[in-house]
Amino acid sequence: RKEVEQDPGPFNVPEGATVAFNCTYSNSASQSFFWYRQDCRKEPKLLMSVYSSGNEDGRFTAQLNRASQYISLLIRDSKLSDSATYLCVVTGGSNYQLIWGAGTKLIIKP
Amino acid sequence: DAGVTQSPTHLIKTRGQQVTLRCSPKSGHDTVSWYQQALGQGPQFIFQYYEEEERQRGNFPDRFSGHQFPNYSSELNVNALLLGDSALYLCASSLWFGTLAPGELFFGEGSRLTVL
């Protein structure tokens, strides 16, 4: 089992719709969680950190479920510019090394 | 305020050759991490440098080595290149938080290496 797993997609979603995807992690000792966004052939950029209480930033909401060991990302009122690959990042083990998922590709259609 | 800069942006090598990639971190950052990203995959952690020392290392062979200079810039060296080393090599800068995971990594645009 991979340490961090994501549905590779692609998720094809009409503009204006709401889309959500999850990321599961295997290490119950993981402490920090992040969502990064990566546009095609570009570098990853931090989208948001994921806190235990969940957090919201505009149209984006991230949540953590420690019991089931997954984090989620919800995008409301999706825009064409949201098309990208969304990477889940989790700290693994005692050395706090960052473990990256392979990403979920999102395509927003007009 | 300069962000993370990497060079070269693209390069082509043949099997068995050696390559050196360079990275200048974001102004004010003191920690550099290197990642390998194969097509369709997430970034894989290679190693991290702080105060000119390798602080953490991922599951990469000794063919991958690095260095950090007093000005915080860094180099990644790969010896005896294999076809499987073809990938995007990303440099990320951050502030050092000791054993704590960095809050945010700032990435350069990467160096795309093709091994023929």
Side-chain angles (χ1 to χ4, degrees):
Chain A
R1 181 185 174 188
K2 290 183 181 179
E3 291 184 83
V4 177
E5 292 199 72
Q6 297 184 251
D7 182 340
F11 284 51
N12 291 285
V13 174
E15 191 176 8
T18 295
V19 60
F21 26 84
N22 293 338
C23 164
T24 59
Y25 60 95
S26 61
N27 189 340
S28 60
S30 295
Q31 293 292 324
S32 300
F33 309 88
F34 309 93
W35 284 104
Y36 275 73
R37 169 197 168 123
Q38 186 171 27
D39 293 307
C40 187
R41 302 185 77 81
K42 293 287 191 179
E43 73 276 20
K45 293 182 179 179
L46 179 66
L47 178 65
M48 57 199 312
S49 302
V50 187
Y51 305 121
S52 297
S53 56
N55 51 310
E56 186 174 316
D57 183 3
R59 298 182 294 107
F60 298 82
T61 300
Q63 294 202 319
L64 167 64
N65 185 315
R66 284 194 183 274
S68 300
Q69 294 184 205
Y70 73 86
I71 63 173
S72 63
L73 180 67
L74 178 80
I75 306 174
R76 291 181 297 276
D77 188 24
S78 54
K79 312 291 185 189
L80 295 176
S81 56
D82 294 334
S83 297
T85 295
Y86 291 84
L87 296 158
C88 166
V89 189
V90 175
T91 53
S94 59
N95 63 1
Y96 293 94
Q97 197 174 105
L98 295 178
I99 310 297
W100 294 69
T104 296
K105 187 171 184 177
L106 174 64
I107 300 172
I108 306 299
K109 296 183 173 182
Chain B
D1 180 20
V4 181
T5 58
Q6 290 187 243
S7 63
T9 55
H10 295 82
L11 68 166
I12 300 174
K13 294 284 188 178
T14 57
R15 280 179 297 175
Q17 284 190 311
Q18 178 263 346
V19 67
T20 297
L21 308 178
R22 297 176 177 81
C23 171
S24 292
K26 180 179 168 64
S27 177
H29 283 184
D30 54 13
T31 303
V32 173
S33 302
W34 286 93
Y35 288 83
Q36 180 194 66
Q37 187 175 26
L39 200 61
Q41 300 297 316
Q44 299 294 312
F45 175 70
I46 303 175
F47 41 54
Q48 179 191 64
Y49 277 84
Y50 169 69
E51 288 190 334
E52 302 178 51
E53 289 187 17
E54 183 182 292
R55 300 292 177 159
Q56 291 190 30
R57 187 178 183 93
N59 188 25
F60 278 80
D62 292 344
R63 298 187 297 110
F64 290 77
S65 64
H67 189 77
Q68 186 180 34
F69 299 95
N71 66 353
Y72 307 119
S73 67
S74 176
E75 287 183 350
L76 163 65
N77 300 292
V78 187
N79 294 324
L81 285 167
L82 304 174
L83 296 179
D85 294 332
S86 295
L88 178 68
Y89 288 84
L90 293 162
C91 168
S93 79
S94 61
L95 289 171
W96 176 252
F97 286 100
T99 56
L100 297 178
E104 179 175 2
L105 296 176
F106 289 82
F107 284 88
E109 293 189 354
S111 294
R112 193 167 297 279
L113 171 64
T114 302
V115 182
L116 302 176

